[in-house]
Amino acid sequence: MKKFSFGRLIENKRFTMVFSILIAVIAWLVVVIQLDPMQKKVIRDIPVTYDLADTQADKLGLEVIKIEPANVSITVEGKRYQVSKLTQADFKVEFSAVSIQGAGSYTLELRASSKENSSEFQVANISPSTVNVTFDKVSSKTITLTAQAPNIKVEDDFILENPVPTPDKLEVKGPEQYIDRLDHGIIMTDASETLTQTTTKKGTLLLYDVDGNQLDNSWFTFDRETFEVVIPVYKQATVPLTFKYKNVPANLDTSKLEYSMSVNQIDIAGSEDAVQNISEINLGYIDIRELDVGKTFQFNISVPSGFKNISNVTQVTVTFTDTNWSSKLLDVTDIRQSNIPSGYTITVQNSSIQNVKIVGDQSVIGTLMPNDLVATVDYTSQPIKEGSQTVQVTIEVVSKENVWVVGSYDCIVVAQKNP
């Protein structure tokens, strides 16, 4: 193993260069500290603070609304080794509110102090040396928000609904004099797109007085920082209106019933996927037992959830073509019973059911006789108790087509429990 040789190291040019620079730096530091031990340093962006406790402003309920500027710079002089280490965190810059006697704007002197109270340095200058401070009572108001998206467009066959703000109400705090002027807000998005579906965009809050003059947001504070605009976009489609029948007798072919509708289709709007899966709007049911000569039916148009009716039509009238209809009143004597509850004997007290109205094709109506009608008491869904009671009766026309019974009928029965 070779022995270390300092002489050989000294002869190394690279070592000699690095060693010389190090010695020079040390020498420079020694000279600077000995010959010029003082240093000036500018520290920037120190926030201006204050304390209103026990001041007249505090007693009057005033608060600091605005400080201009909110940050200042200071120049510090002192021992170089101490000053070089100082930062914003080592100082406090504040104003005194002792002279404040009411709301308004004031120009106040600043004072700076070290948090360490060191004698090794001092603040030589504050720039600027004064600040403009606004004092006022703070109040709050909840305002209604609307939304605007002026640069949004939609593709053909789509409609753009009014933008929706998020939130739609906002609590705003600020100087009493400005809160009194505040009337409403608008969340505005400057997004520029052509859409085919509902979209949410970030928005900017704009505040206005009752006359529509925009107010400076910097005077107010809010309980949230972000605002959004929901832009509803719907696909348009035209769909037919339909209805169904109920309580249809077996001998009636409803396809032969002629009618007209005041409106037979409407324009709707919904999401693109939903519109592709809807083929009609069902209005509801027409009960054949209510279908009489000269009778019309009205339906309220109700679109499924997720759709909008954009036709401005809310009602439909259905009118049947009854030119070839007529009606007839008959007494039914054939009264039957079905599904009699076990353990009971039931006796029908009526000998007939009178004035049963039949409606339909007048050529058939003219041939109807009482023996073409049958009344049935079905106990399947009718609770029975011992004794006399009124029960519903279903009446049918047998052996004839395209005629039906209108109205509801009942009869009296007596039920006895079997021994």
Side-chain angles (χ1 to χ4, degrees):
M1 179 181 292
K2 294 182 178 180
K3 293 184 178 180
F4 173 76
S5 173
F6 186 75
R8 187 176 297 151
L9 183 62
I10 290 297
E11 292 175 358
N12 186 298
K13 291 183 178 181
R14 182 174 298 175
F15 172 78
T16 303
M17 183 179 297
V18 172
F19 186 73
S20 299
I21 293 172
L22 179 60
I23 294 299
V25 169
I26 293 172
W28 178 81
L29 289 173
V30 171
V31 171
V32 166
I33 293 173
Q34 293 297 321
L35 299 181
D36 187 15
M38 305 300 290
Q39 180 185 4
K40 283 186 178 182
K41 182 178 182 179
V42 176
I43 302 176
R44 306 181 189 279
D45 295 324
I46 300 177
V48 176
T49 62
Y50 58 91
D51 183 3
L52 300 184
D54 298 325
T55 64
Q56 184 64 19
D58 184 33
K59 294 176 183 177
L60 293 173
L62 301 178
E63 295 185 27
V64 172
I65 304 301
K66 183 180 288 188
I67 303 173
E68 292 181 323
N71 298 291
V72 298
S73 300
I74 63 172
T75 301
V76 183
E77 293 180 344
K79 297 293 182 65
R80 182 180 298 275
Y81 70 88
Q82 184 71 32
V83 169
S84 63
K85 299 184 296 182
L86 296 175
T87 66
Q88 297 170 349
D90 296 310
F91 294 90
K92 178 171 69 173
V93 177
E94 59 185 344
F95 61 81
S96 171
V98 172
S99 62
I100 305 304
Q101 300 298 313
S105 294
Y106 300 84
T107 299
L108 300 176
E109 294 284 340
L110 293 175
R111 61 172 180 266
S113 58
S114 165
K115 295 178 182 179
E116 291 186 2
N117 257 346
S118 174
S119 60
E120 301 290 324
F121 58 85
Q122 62 183 2
V123 176
N125 182 53
I126 305 174
S127 179
S129 60
T130 61
V131 286
N132 294 318
V133 184
T134 302
F135 294 84
D136 202 346
K137 290 183 178 180
V138 172
S139 62
S140 65
K141 178 187 288 187
T142 298
I143 60 172
T144 298
L145 302 181
T146 57
Q148 294 183 6
N151 301 319
I152 295 295
K153 299 178 181 179
V154 293
E155 297 283 1
D156 294 340
D157 295 327
F158 288 82
I159 62 171
L160 180 64
E161 290 289 298
N162 291 329
V164 179
T166 302
D168 59 356
K169 294 187 181 299
L170 180 69
E171 183 180 10
V172 182
K173 295 181 180 180
E176 196 170 54
Q177 58 175 316
Y178 291 106
I179 288 292
D180 289 343
R181 290 177 56 190
L182 180 62
D183 181 70
H184 65 279
I186 297 174
I187 302 177
M188 177 80 70
T189 176
D190 57 3
S192 179
E193 295 181 38
T194 300
L195 302 176
T196 59
Q197 61 182 1
T198 298
T199 305
T200 300
K201 297 292 183 182
K202 289 184 178 179
T204 301
L205 177 66
L206 307 177
L207 299 174
Y208 295 88
D209 64 17
V210 70
D211 297 319
N213 300 309
Q214 187 174 347
L215 303 176
D216 187 348
N217 283 25
S218 66
W219 286 106
F220 306 99
T221 58
F222 325 113
D223 55 5
R224 63 185 298 148
E225 296 181 357
T226 59
F227 301 88
E228 293 179 331
V229 177
V230 178
I231 306 169
V233 176
Y234 298 103
K235 173 77 172 175
Q236 298 183 80
T238 301
V239 293
L241 300 174
T242 63
F243 62 86
K244 296 179 180 179
Y245 297 99
K246 65 180 181 178
N247 295 315
V248 180
N251 63 345
L252 175 60
D253 182 359
T254 57
S255 66
K256 293 182 179 180
L257 297 175
E258 297 181 1
Y259 61 86
S260 63
M261 301 173 67
S262 58
V263 177
N264 57 22
Q265 63 183 23
I266 61 168
D267 293 327
I268 62 169
S271 69
E272 189 170 14
D273 290 342
V275 166
Q276 290 175 350
N277 292 318
I278 188 169
S279 58
E280 64 181 20
I281 299 291
N282 187 274
L283 299 170
Y285 289 87
I286 288 180
D287 191 338
I288 291 296
R289 295 175 301 184
E290 299 176 4
L291 184 53
D292 202 348
V293 177
K295 178 70 180 287
T296 60
F297 296 85
Q298 282 195 332
F299 291 96
N300 293 322
I301 299 175
S302 178
V303 298
S305 177
F307 291 91
K308 294 174 67 72
N309 179 353
I310 59 175
S311 291
N312 295 320
V313 179
T314 59
Q315 272 195 341
V316 179
T317 300
V318 179
T319 304
F320 284 85
T321 305
D322 56 7
T323 308
N324 297 320
W325 292 5
S326 63
S327 63
K328 192 173 189 178
L329 297 177
L330 294 172
D331 295 340
V332 182
T333 57
D334 187 353
I335 304 175
R336 306 175 184 181
Q337 300 183 88
S338 66
N339 299 307
I340 297 175
S342 176
Y344 282 92
T345 297
I346 303 177
T347 305
V348 177
Q349 301 299 294
N350 303 63
S351 59
S352 67
I353 299 173
Q354 299 179 342
N355 296 321
V356 174
K357 189 173 188 177
I358 315 299
V359 174
D361 188 327
Q362 61 185 4
S363 64
V364 179
I365 290 290
T367 67
L368 284 177
M369 301 297 289
N371 58 6
D372 291 318
L373 304 181
V374 173
T376 303
V377 181
D378 186 351
Y379 296 101
T380 302
S381 58
Q382 300 193 75
I384 291 298
K385 60 183 179 180
E386 195 169 15
S388 177
Q389 58 202 287
T390 300
V391 293
Q392 291 183 339
V393 177
T394 300
I395 301 175
E396 297 178 292
V397 181
V398 296
S399 306
K400 304 289 184 178
E401 295 183 350
N402 298 323
V403 291
W404 57 91
V405 177
V406 173
S408 59
Y409 302 90
D410 52 45
C411 68
I412 297 174
V413 299
V414 174
Q416 290 181 326
K417 285 187 177 182
N418 297 330

